[in-house]
Amino acid sequence: GENVEQHPSTLSVQEGDSAVIKCTYSDSASNYFPWYKQELGKRPQLIIDIRSNVGEKKDQRIAVTLNKTAKHFSLHITETQPEDSAVYFCAANAGGTSYGKLTFGQGTILTVHP
Amino acid sequence: NAGVTQTPKFQVLKTGQSMTLQCAQDMNHNSMYWYRQDPGMGLRLIYYSASEGTTDKGEVPNGYNVSRLNKREFSLRLESAAPSQTSVYFCASSDRWANYGYTFGSGTRLTVV
């Protein structure tokens, strides 16, 4: 089955700096890669996603890049703010007929210091 | 508000007790999922249901059973709870191919003592 590895497990930055979280996946048939943000005690919320026919996608201060050849994708947050502090999860879907099943990375705890 | 509703929000069980976690969605989604979240291990899939009447095992199904009661409801049952099942449980739903990702419920924090 699909295996998703996420790094780093913790990331500490100063307000205004950029943050980058990287994920690798194993299933070459995967074609959908979402990113979720989870604030303390809350449910995960989808913040951005990318499909395999696109190399990069941006939404204001966040962007995601995908390298299908190397099977890795990354989340980039620019001009970080204290409210960006949360746990971030990457995920990849299962290939073939496994419908919408997502495999998640282990999570990155991002702390933005004012 | 449209979304995914989970009950209960908190539960403490004694080892060996049973309980059912309830999940309902009003988004007309075909697929529903149960995940558990443990520190440092991300979200791991317990069971999923691609459509009404079908269920399949995920990564960590041992000790759990599920029922897809109808299109809206997907329950998770612990027949004989163990301390290793202490976790936060999330239900989620999506269209058949998760084209727009998952919508998660608010979670159930379960402690087994």
Side-chain angles (χ1 to χ4, degrees):
Chain A
E2 174 72 279
N3 183 50
V4 177
E5 297 286 335
Q6 182 173 347
H7 299 281
S9 56
T10 60
L11 181 58
S12 183
V13 300
Q14 290 296 126
E15 183 176 1
D17 288 350
S18 295
V20 181
I21 302 170
K22 299 181 179 181
C23 290
T24 60
Y25 63 98
S26 61
D27 188 347
S28 57
S30 295
N31 59 8
Y32 175 65
F33 308 92
W35 286 88
Y36 288 83
K37 176 184 180 181
Q38 185 180 29
E39 297 176 347
L40 189 63
K42 301 289 182 63
R43 73 192 77 189
Q45 301 262 13
L46 178 70
I47 57 171
I48 196 168
D49 55 15
I50 192 167
R51 299 180 195 281
S52 59
N53 59 345
V54 175
E56 183 176 6
K57 183 178 179 180
K58 290 183 180 180
D59 183 2
Q60 299 183 333
R61 294 187 298 107
I62 60 174
V64 58
T65 59
L66 171 64
N67 183 326
K68 283 211 70 180
T69 303
K71 287 193 267 187
H72 66 70
F73 56 113
S74 300
L75 177 72
H76 304 252
I77 306 174
T78 58
E79 301 173 24
T80 53
Q81 300 168 3
E83 51 264 39
D84 294 330
S85 296
V87 181
Y88 291 81
F89 292 99
C90 63
N93 69 334
T97 59
S98 294
Y99 301 104
K101 191 171 67 170
L102 294 177
T103 298
F104 288 82
Q106 297 88 342
T108 296
I109 302 172
L110 173 64
T111 303
V112 180
H113 299 281
Chain B
N1 291 335
V4 179
T5 302
Q6 271 184 253
T7 57
K9 292 190 184 300
F10 301 94
Q11 184 72 49
V12 179
L13 290 179
K14 294 182 178 179
T15 298
Q17 286 185 318
S18 63
M19 78 163 294
T20 300
L21 281 65
Q22 306 287 354
C23 177
Q25 52 94 6
D26 59 5
M27 306 181 74
N28 200 33
H29 283 160
N30 285 308
S31 300
M32 298 185 73
Y33 315 84
W34 277 104
Y35 283 83
R36 60 177 289 172
Q37 182 175 26
D38 302 292
M41 304 192 74
L43 293 149
R44 292 182 293 167
L45 183 63
I46 304 170
Y47 271 94
Y48 67 104
S49 171
S51 61
E52 183 180 351
T54 68
T55 60
D56 286 287
K57 294 179 181 179
E59 182 184 354
V60 288
N62 292 344
Y64 305 95
N65 285 301
V66 291
S67 295
R68 183 74 183 267
L69 305 171
N70 48 54
K71 189 172 186 179
R72 290 187 64 247
E73 298 172 288
F74 187 39
S75 63
L76 178 72
R77 182 161 178 83
L78 287 70
E79 290 291 351
S80 179
S84 60
Q85 294 178 304
T86 293
S87 188
V88 179
Y89 292 85
F90 285 100
C91 176
S93 70
S94 74
D95 64 23
R96 194 171 185 87
W97 298 98
N99 286 313
Y100 302 99
Y102 288 177
T103 298
F104 281 92
S106 58
T108 297
R109 184 173 295 276
L110 175 67
T111 302
V112 182
V113 298

